[in-house]
Amino acid sequence: MIAKISTGKNTAGLIRYLFDTKKARDHTDPHLVASWDGFAPDPGRSNDFAATKRLLVADLDMRVKQARRLGRAPERHVWHCSVRAATTDRHLSDEEWAGIARRVVAATGIAPQDDPDGCRWVAVRHAPDHIHIAATKVRGDLSAARHWNDYLTADRELAKIEKEYGFHQVVRGDRTAAKRPTRAEQEKAHRAGHTMTARKRLRFTVRTAVSVATSPEEFLRILDATDSVLVEIQHFPSGDIRGYKVAVEGDTNTVGEPIWYSGSSLAPDLSFPQIHERLTASEQPTEATKWPSAPWTDATVAVEHIPAHLDQGDDAAAQAHIAAFGEALDALPVLAPKEIRPHLRQAAAAFERAARSRVQAEHAQARVLRGAIRAMRTQPAPRDGVLLAMFLDAAVLAVIAASRWHQLRQHDQQVIAARQALVHLQAAYDQAAAVPLAVLAHRKPPTPTIDRFVALVHEAVPARAQQVFNDHAWAALATALADAQAAGHEPGTLLKQAAAQRTLDDARSPARALAWRVQRLTRRAVADAQKAPTSSPAARPSHVPNPKRRP
């Protein structure tokens, strides 16, 4: 069930609309199903419709007029709530709708249960699948109604009603979604020939700027240098930055002024304080942690660890990792080859909703992930496509883990968004991985070598061995193992490490997943060897092969 709540100034106008059957042709048999005392006059069941309607309006407005004489009447004294059932739900009786109306006015504070001073209200039914509740917001003691957060409280009550009645359960938000474009904004964009509204275009622009910036100051400089975007920075009296607002060049109001949007009006996590917190929480690279030779490998390893972080039970840290991963998706379309950018943009746009929830993120907990992603942003994906494919492979598992994390916490909208992002991300991965996998498969090792690897697969993943051999990517896995062996690794140990990293239950292609993991472990070992001090052999990690050793 869905509730829509609004306020107004004209009681008579609302009642006239609710009982109209001429202009509103979907209004059939309008009549009262409930009222504040059970005895309100019902124009729909009276022989003198006009007179009864005037009497109903007078009864509803009685306290408003009394409060107005005392200067205490609210300016917008009319409260209007429509409650609609899903098309798949059965039609309720008048008595059932009456009970729902009483629960809604009680939950919202319009007429709390057993409160003799509750506001006056009526519930009108003029169609089979919904009712309208009309109330005047003056209580019996002539004070204003206390109905703060009425939409949220009504929605919570309707969620309970859905379960009790066995009705379709609506996917509910948590008030962290980005503001939807208004109808006027959509029509204006359509007239200008744009597929997106100015608000949505600016949201994508700002999110991309955040994803590639390394500090709040750089974020603002990137925005200011973006074509067709106007930026205005607001300061405190001290001179510190308070916030920012942006506009699309040429998007003006009726007097020719730019239409400005603050960061928070684009999305809750795009306010300047939120952006400042995220960017300053990232790990600042030092001389000991600057590894320009392997940024994509480090970022891939960091993303691969996200599912483990989400399983640790620290919701604030988990939310921080999800938010940081969302920024990585925002940056990917800028870094990836143009042929897969459409899928990546759609994945980032969908996951944007999954990156926010009511859980307050502790951004410092994800500083290692943010530092790795920041390093990845410093250069495009290598031309051979291997590192991009490995990153996307890890990203797919991260999205699946994020979806499950949200599902366990009943974050319904985030679950849907993550699943939508997964479809586009898998499409991008399939496209990015095709050539690198074909190259690996083309270098398939000789039969004796493959026979040795068959035994290793049986030992490492006995339950999945046959599935691996039947996989079209088995030849690519065999090549990855052969390459690792040539680099001085023990293939059996490496394969067990790859299998232990993460369950293969989520993998559409287990051989492909293992191939990328083996390559990641190999590349990671090389990167670690490059980072380790070369003057001391003892400083070399134990899993890194001696470069002088022959396979």
Side-chain angles (χ1 to χ4, degrees), residues 120-419:
R120 294 191 166 192
W121 61 275
V122 294
V124 179
R125 182 180 190 181
H126 57 210
D129 62 347
H130 69 277
I131 59 170
H132 292 261
I133 303 172
T136 46
K137 300 191 298 181
V138 178
R139 292 170 45 81
D141 58 3
L142 303 187
S143 64
R146 297 183 287 272
H147 62 101
W148 296 280
N149 288 326
D150 50 9
Y151 173 78
L152 184 60
T153 53
D155 198 50
R156 287 173 179 167
E157 191 64 27
L158 291 178
K160 297 177 184 177
I161 292 170
E162 288 170 354
K163 293 181 180 179
E164 293 173 15
Y165 281 72
F167 281 0
H168 169 72
Q169 295 184 21
V170 175
V171 175
R172 290 180 158 80
D174 55 7
R175 309 183 84 178
T176 63
K179 186 177 180 180
R180 292 182 179 180
T182 65
R183 182 175 179 179
E185 290 174 348
Q186 292 174 331
E187 291 177 348
K188 185 175 183 180
H190 181 71
R191 290 195 301 270
H194 297 299
T195 57
M196 292 190 296
T197 64
R199 183 193 301 273
K200 195 169 184 179
R201 282 187 286 159
L202 288 170
R203 185 163 70 245
F204 287 160
T205 299
V206 172
R207 294 194 73 85
T208 302
V210 173
S211 74
V212 298
T214 58
S215 68
E217 295 75 20
E218 185 181 9
F219 158 71
L220 293 173
R221 289 196 297 270
I222 292 172
L223 269 189
D224 191 50
T226 303
D227 291 340
S228 303
V229 174
L230 305 177
V231 183
E232 186 173 297
I233 301 174
Q234 298 141 335
H235 295 84
F236 288 111
S238 63
D240 295 334
I241 297 175
R242 183 184 65 173
Y244 72 97
K245 55 184 181 179
V246 289
V248 174
E249 188 174 356
D251 182 35
T252 59
N253 57 21
T254 54
V255 295
E257 299 171 335
I259 299 177
W260 295 99
Y261 298 89
S262 65
S264 58
S265 70
L266 298 177
D269 59 343
L270 294 183
S271 67
F272 187 75
Q274 289 262 13
I275 292 173
H276 185 278
E277 180 185 359
R278 285 149 61 190
L279 293 180
T280 54
S282 299
E283 185 180 60
Q284 298 298 325
T286 64
E287 289 303 317
T289 60
K290 287 180 180 178
W291 308 312
S293 60
W296 280 79
T297 300
D298 292 330
T300 299
V301 171
V303 169
E304 196 170 45
H305 289 164
I306 289 177
H309 288 300
L310 301 190
D311 289 340
Q312 290 179 356
D314 187 339
D315 282 4
Q319 180 61 56
H321 280 87
I322 292 174
F325 176 69
E327 292 177 21
L329 293 185
D330 290 332
L332 273 182
V334 180
L335 305 173
K338 62 181 180 180
E339 58 267 18
I340 66 169
R341 288 177 186 173
H343 284 306
L344 293 176
R345 288 193 186 99
Q346 289 173 305
F351 195 80
E352 180 254 343
R353 179 68 189 95
R356 292 188 303 272
S357 74
R358 297 293 289 179
V359 176
Q360 185 66 36
E362 184 60 48
H363 291 295
Q365 295 291 328
R367 60 183 180 275
V368 174
L369 171 62
R370 288 176 179 275
I373 293 172
R374 172 182 292 176
M376 179 192 73
R377 298 169 188 159
T378 61
Q379 59 182 258
R383 291 181 178 273
D384 64 4
V386 174
L387 291 177
L388 176 61
M390 287 196 292
F391 181 87
L392 292 177
D393 175 60
V396 166
L397 293 181
V399 172
I400 293 173
S403 175
R404 289 176 178 169
W405 186 84
H406 283 305
Q407 189 171 26
L408 288 173
R409 287 149 187 82
Q410 299 182 334
H411 300 165
D412 296 337
Q413 289 189 351
Q414 287 85 343
V415 171
I416 292 174
R419 290 174 179 171

